[in-house]
Amino acid sequence: MKCGGRRLVALVLGLSVAIGGGSGCVSVTHVNQPLAQYDPDAGYRPRHPQQRRAPGRTILFLAFSGGGTRAAALAYGVMEELRGTEVRVDGKRVSLLSEIDSISGVSGGTFPASYYALFGDRIFDDFERRFLKKNVQRALFLRMLPPWTLLKLMTPFLDRSDIAARYYDRHIFDGATFSDLRVATGPRVYINATDLTSGERFTFTQDTFDLICSEIDAMPVATAVAASSAVPVFLAPVTLQNFAGRCNFQPPQWIEAALHSPNPPARVKRGLAAYRAMLDQDQKPYLHLVDGSVADNLGLRSAVDFITAAGGPQNVRRITGLAVPDRMVIISVNAETDSDPTIDLSNAAPSLALLLNTVAGSQIRRANFETLLLTEELLHRWGRELSSESQTVQTHFVSLGFNDLADVDERKRLNRLPTSFRLNEDDVDSLRAAGRRLLRDSPQFQALVAEMQ
């Protein structure tokens, strides 16, 4: 891009931040509709046995981290390798990708997760062209340029996340809604954002929307993806209206048990506080949702929190109606990058932008490290709890990240890639190749494939 073009983009970004982020007088509209009557069997409930593929003997859960196009391309490469890996299931050789039960996505990771859940193998035909190798960032900026758009940005009727959601809806997800996800035959998908005030994870399912007496089926998938990738300051929060108390909602029995537990575990207790807040429409009439990486940059907490709150895997079996599996597998695709090493080469104070980026990155990396350790520990514990004298449940935790790459130069180069929705084609191809190689070379993944052969 020429110098003049860069100045224009910077001007638009600065103006949009000043209009939407620097002024306290601009309100936003909510994007959800009220639910007339609570029905535990209606709406997009990805863990509902009747709304998923027939359960297999392997439960395979993927988690795609945040990180813009960098994260999406790395996850796409892992999916390519899964597609090319054949295993034996019920006497037949099948692609391991077809055995995925669930994908949890955050921010950039929600794009391939949602696309595959909606459209299946079509992702390998057009996702590169429609997202990975498209300058989405520039496309969003250009949509802010018309004077009438800039004027609307100063009103309550449009904000920057509205523009993003409309672009994603038209140019990536083809207008698909959660009702389309509900009838899709692919894996379940969990799109995760963050409740701005509580800092808790907010997952786009009807189970979550029941708390605020809202229905999810008519909502565009693009709106949820926009919320999950609404980076604070650069994109406005996506706002939901809380209609709690109007639909005769009755908490499921396992939640009732947790609510009345005299001494719930600390993690459950914290989650219940956010749960109760959403049930109080007077105290919390609106929910402002931002980038999911604020609460969980790896997308792993949806499984951990659900199983923990339910009281363990045996209770989850009773809730979902699933049989004891032969094996449980979690594959974590982590596109986090290292801090900028050049900071330590000078005694000069880093710029404000570099300082903020480094601090945020350090916090995310530390949280990611703890989450990975916790998830692996819990997965193996769940396997032991489900095992019996007649059946041993095997568990496999596959963690993939740039620091697992053997090539030092490649590792350094990928660690320097920015978190944005704009990467050149060579970088996208390098990330895809890295995703394929990371999975293929993982000892934990090799053990899984050997076992399933």
Side-chain angles (χ1 to χ4, degrees), residues 178-200:
F178 277 88
S179 62
D180 296 309
L181 267 181
R182 182 161 55 86
V183 299
T185 58
R188 305 168 287 178
V189 65
Y190 296 88
I191 302 173
N192 302 289
T194 302
D195 181 345
L196 181 60
T197 55
S198 70
E200 291 294 317

Side-chain angles (χ1 to χ4, degrees), residues 63-131:
F64 294 159
S65 80
T69 302
R70 184 185 70 244
L74 185 68
Y76 184 83
V78 169
M79 294 174 72
E80 288 180 306
E81 187 65 24
L82 287 169
R83 185 193 193 197
T85 302
E86 287 191 346
V87 294
R88 189 172 297 278
V89 176
D90 295 331
K92 300 178 181 178
R93 296 193 66 80
V94 299
S95 162
L96 191 53
L97 183 66
S98 67
E99 294 302 297
I100 295 172
D101 294 282
S102 307
I103 309 178
S104 176
V106 175
S107 195
T110 61
F111 288 88
S114 303
Y115 203 91
Y116 181 67
L118 281 166
F119 306 122
D121 283 351
R122 172 181 148 183
I123 192 173
F124 302 110
D125 297 329
D126 58 11
F127 188 68
E128 278 187 78
R129 170 179 55 82
R130 304 186 77 177
F131 181 75

Side-chain angles (χ1 to χ4, degrees), residues 104 112 135 166 179 208 248 405:
S104 176
N135 190 338
R166 293 175 188 182
S179 62
T208 305
N248 298 313
L405 292 167

Side-chain angles (χ1 to χ4, degrees), residues 27-60:
S27 60
V28 292
T29 55
H30 61 270
V31 296
N32 57 317
Q33 299 300 319
L35 180 67
Q37 176 62 45
Y38 165 65
D39 182 349
D41 295 319
Y44 177 67
R45 302 177 190 273
R47 61 180 174 80
H48 200 294
Q50 281 73 42
Q51 294 177 2
R52 57 159 296 177
R53 301 175 302 132
R57 287 181 290 185
T58 298
I59 293 179
L60 179 53

